[in-house]
Amino acid sequence: MKLICIGRNYAAHIDELNNERPEEPVVFIKPDSAILPKEQDFYIPEFSEDIHYEVEVLVKIKKVGKHIAPQFAHTYYDEIGLGIDFTARDLQSKLKAKGLPWEKAKGFDGSAIVGKWKLKNSYENVDNLSFQLIKNEEEVQNGNTSLMLWKIDELIAHVSTYFMLKKGDILFTGTPAGVGKVSPNDYLVGMLEGEQLFEINVK
């Protein structure tokens, strides 16, 4: 399985990092080794001094698909989740400045948190889901999927043009504003529609 991640999908997040608004979704891949095993703490890697949290709504693909039309995209997933795309921001900035790929800053071991999965039909509308990241009992990110530049079904259609989607693939749909640095002893909690879907200790 693979982790397909979307960058710059919330306007406020684009603004906070002074990025250009893209004309189409920004897509990058994390390897399956990026997933932090359940019940493990997140350890800040030695190669970065500026690891950022980015909370995101997740979608688990349930069947093989290629060149999926937007109107059929909803049939390719039954589960919604919440997770974190950890980013080595200092390393990413250096790579971007040289025009190099981001993989080392985005796909390192343990850089993807995948919380509990919920059935899609648990929610009235996947395009209107509120979610939050709490750091040390203080809310640091607050988003809603209604604010996505490209909605879930549009993302699935777009991504499937380039990559065959397979059962078990996970789509990270982008992060809202409020990203920031983690430090040792931070405690992160992810909430989707008022329900806690993950908790992580930072070491």
Side-chain angles (χ1 to χ4, degrees):
M1 54 84 73
K2 54 189 174 290
L3 310 181
I4 304 165
C5 306
I6 305 299
R8 306 182 190 178
N9 201 23
Y10 289 84
H13 175 58
I14 293 172
D15 292 342
E16 74 176 345
L17 295 186
N18 295 314
N19 287 324
E20 292 184 12
R21 183 165 175 159
E23 296 182 359
E24 62 180 38
V26 175
V27 181
F28 60 95
I29 302 287
K30 286 178 181 267
D32 57 2
S33 56
I35 296 179
L36 186 72
K38 300 291 185 185
E39 311 303 328
Q40 285 196 16
D41 297 330
F42 173 75
Y43 283 83
I44 296 173
E46 60 185 14
F47 55 76
S48 176
E49 297 180 355
D50 193 20
I51 297 291
H52 280 206
Y53 54 78
E54 299 185 8
V55 71
E56 311 197 10
V57 171
L58 312 182
V59 175
K60 185 191 288 186
I61 300 300
K62 70 173 186 177
K63 61 182 180 180
V64 173
K66 178 71 174 174
H67 294 297
I68 301 166
Q71 63 267 34
F72 299 122
H74 70 279
T75 67
Y76 285 80
Y77 64 101
D78 285 335
E79 294 178 277
I80 297 286
L82 195 70
I84 294 178
D85 164 25
F86 280 118
T87 303
R89 192 72 71 199
D90 48 357
L91 180 55
Q92 185 189 38
S93 295
K94 291 178 183 177
L95 293 167
K96 286 171 65 177
K98 295 179 180 179
L100 297 174
W102 304 348
E103 271 76 3
K104 290 190 289 187
K106 285 285 194 177
F108 59 88
D109 293 348
S111 62
I113 305 302
V114 177
K116 293 188 296 184
W117 292 102
K118 301 289 293 182
L119 290 176
K120 178 174 64 176
N121 61 17
S122 302
Y123 308 109
E124 290 185 13
N125 182 3
V126 297
D127 292 329
N128 187 20
L129 297 175
S130 64
F131 59 102
Q132 296 81 32
L133 184 69
I134 314 298
K135 185 177 82 166
N136 304 330
E137 301 185 354
E138 177 183 354
E139 182 181 285
V140 289
Q141 286 188 276
N142 188 320
N144 191 292
T145 55
S146 65
L147 300 174
M148 288 180 173
L149 300 182
W150 291 278
K151 301 299 190 288
I152 290 173
D153 289 355
E154 293 174 302
L155 293 174
I156 289 173
H158 178 80
V159 167
S160 72
T161 301
Y162 301 92
F163 307 107
M164 179 180 289
L165 298 180
K166 295 185 176 182
K167 183 177 180 179
D169 287 351
I170 299 174
L171 178 66
F172 280 64
T173 61
T175 194
V179 302
K181 183 178 179 178
V182 293
S183 301
N185 301 316
D186 280 347
Y187 175 61
L188 306 176
V189 174
M191 307 289 294
L192 179 66
E193 287 290 299
E195 180 180 359
Q196 179 178 317
L197 295 192
F198 68 77
E199 57 180 342
I200 292 294
N201 291 299
V202 179
K203 300 294 185 179

